[in-house]
Amino acid sequence: MERFAVLLIAVFVGVCQGYGVHMKSKANATLPLVMWHGMGDSCCNPLSLGRIQKMVEEQVPGIYVLSLQIGDNIIEDTANGFLMNVNKQIDMACDKISKDPKLQGGYNSMGFSQGGQFLRAVAQRCPSPPMHNLLSVGGQHQGVFGFPKCPGANYTLCEMVRKLLNLGAYESFIQDFLVQAEYWHDPLNEEEYRAKSVFLADINQERVMNPSYKTNLMKLNKFVMVMFSKDTEVQPKESEWFGFYKPGQDKVLNTLQESAIYKNDTLGLKEMDAQKKLVFLTAEGDHLQFTEDWFKQNLVPYLK
């Protein structure tokens, strides 16, 4: 009987030790990274996201990086950043993420410019596999009211976007396909924005309340928002920290903490703030302009 008890204890200890080693190896493993580029860019441009991916792989050895390509090639990926319904893009991204076997244990995400709010939509709509940290680098979480500059080399596409926004950002046929119209936020006409914005008003809980959006966003470990102090492309730049104009005018700004989204806690941001899950970073420069040293010091720690 004693020998059986000793044997049983030995087996139990062995199982526990094995379980402990397994848990430790999982805890110490580097999470994969999903990236989403901004307007005028593509998944794999060696001068932009390709360079960022290389830098991440150097700083975090062994990391798996999925840089989202929306379309069959880089040309389509770039064009779709202007001319594909954002909700369709989110569906495509969720499908890619859900089918990637290397992401099934969870992942971190990093979105650049409009890729920041797109990945937040992924977090809110597609909680499996789980997103751990969300890094939004210049993302416009309260939208934009202005289009002063257009990044990228395609001047024709930029001019087309400007003309369509001037024609009427909330016209249904424009909302159906023009990406930048889908996060256009007119503070002079909040009622029309809430009624007709097919993307931003939805993910910001300003149309119909979707409890799962709040539940899923609050599952994040950290939500990191980077604002560029001298941003001349995003109006207002405070949208990168979830701030925006006070309704009815376009001069005076509300911070996130002064906004209805925060006060009513429709997305869980107030509670996340209390839990120290929100991180507000400033980069001294124009839109998406930062040094490698700044990137390594401020963002890489959230990828390890």
Side-chain angles (χ1 to χ4, degrees):
M1 187 68 179
E2 288 182 7
R3 292 181 64 186
F4 176 75
V6 170
L7 180 61
L8 186 62
I9 291 171
V11 169
F12 177 76
V13 169
V15 169
C16 288
Q17 287 178 336
Y19 181 76
V21 169
H22 175 66
M23 293 299 291
K24 183 178 180 181
S25 64
K26 284 186 70 176
N28 288 343
T30 298
L31 284 174
L33 173 64
V34 173
M35 300 197 302
W36 201 331
H37 62 81
M39 173 178 65
D41 201 359
S42 70
C43 65
C44 315
N45 187 332
L47 300 178
S48 54
L49 241 64
R51 181 184 174 197
I52 294 292
Q53 179 171 342
K54 183 178 180 181
M55 192 174 2
V56 168
E57 291 169 343
E58 290 172 351
Q59 293 297 307
V60 190
I63 191 172
Y64 170 68
V65 180
L66 171 65
S67 190
L68 289 167
Q69 177 179 294
I70 306 300
D72 293 332
N73 51 59
I74 291 176
I75 295 174
E76 285 188 10
D77 187 27
T78 304
N80 288 337
F82 293 96
L83 302 173
M84 177 186 280
N85 183 282
V86 178
N87 294 308
K88 183 177 180 181
Q89 294 193 51
I90 303 303
D91 288 343
M92 293 173 68
C94 288
D95 185 63
K96 285 176 179 285
I97 291 168
S98 69
K99 291 178 178 178
D100 192 322
K102 295 183 179 180
L103 302 177
Q104 299 314 298
Y107 62 97
N108 292 317
S109 69
M110 181 162 52
F112 295 86
S113 196
Q114 67 185 22
Q117 60 262 36
F118 295 175
L119 280 170
R120 174 163 67 86
V122 170
Q124 292 176 204
R125 294 177 180 176
C126 308
S128 181
M131 186 185 295
H132 186 64
N133 290 334
L134 167 57
L135 284 66
S136 170
V137 186
Q140 305 97 40
H141 295 281
Q142 280 275 31
V144 298
F145 187 56
F147 198 66
K149 287 186 178 181
C150 179
N154 198 318
Y155 176 80
T156 303
L157 275 175
C158 288
E159 284 305 299
M160 182 188 302
V161 170
R162 285 193 179 94
K163 289 177 181 178
L164 287 169
L165 288 173
N166 289 334
L167 178 64
Y170 298 126
E171 293 292 333
S172 61
F173 79 95
I174 292 178
Q175 281 285 313
D176 188 53
F177 77 93
L178 185 64
V179 170
Q180 289 67 41
E182 293 171 51
Y183 57 85
W184 185 262
H185 187 170
D186 187 347
L188 306 178
N189 197 342
E190 290 280 347
E191 186 175 341
E192 186 178 24
Y193 156 71
R194 287 191 296 270
K196 297 181 179 179
S197 170
V198 300
F199 173 67
L200 187 70
D202 176 70
I203 65 165
N204 281 359
Q205 301 274 50
E206 295 170 299
R207 300 187 72 177
V208 177
M209 284 295 297
N210 187 331
S212 67
Y213 283 5
K214 178 176 179 178
T215 299
N216 293 337
L217 189 64
M218 290 180 65
K219 291 177 182 177
L220 289 174
N221 175 61
K222 294 291 183 183
F223 179 9
V224 181
M225 289 172 270
V226 178
M227 179 175 71
F228 291 86
S229 63
K230 300 176 183 178
D231 204 316
T232 60
E233 291 183 15
V234 174
Q235 291 185 347
K237 69 179 186 297
E238 287 77 10
S239 182
E240 297 167 349
W241 275 7
F242 239 114
F244 203 66
Y245 300 113
K246 291 184 177 181
Q249 50 81 56
D250 61 355
K251 298 291 187 292
V252 182
L253 291 153
N254 272 336
T255 63
L256 166 62
Q257 289 75 11
E258 295 169 329
S259 69
I261 286 176
Y262 187 91
K263 290 179 178 179
N264 298 329
D265 211 17
T266 50
L267 278 175
L269 294 170
K270 184 177 181 179
E271 189 169 342
M272 291 174 72
D273 200 13
Q275 295 172 351
K276 309 297 184 185
K277 287 188 172 186
L278 302 185
V279 179
F280 301 92
L281 300 178
T282 302
E284 301 295 334
D286 205 343
H287 193 58
L288 300 186
Q289 300 300 306
F290 50 83
T291 65
E292 287 193 14
D293 286 342
W294 183 93
F295 182 87
K296 293 172 184 176
Q297 180 177 347
N298 291 279
L299 298 185
V300 169
Y302 295 100
L303 306 179
K304 292 183 175 179

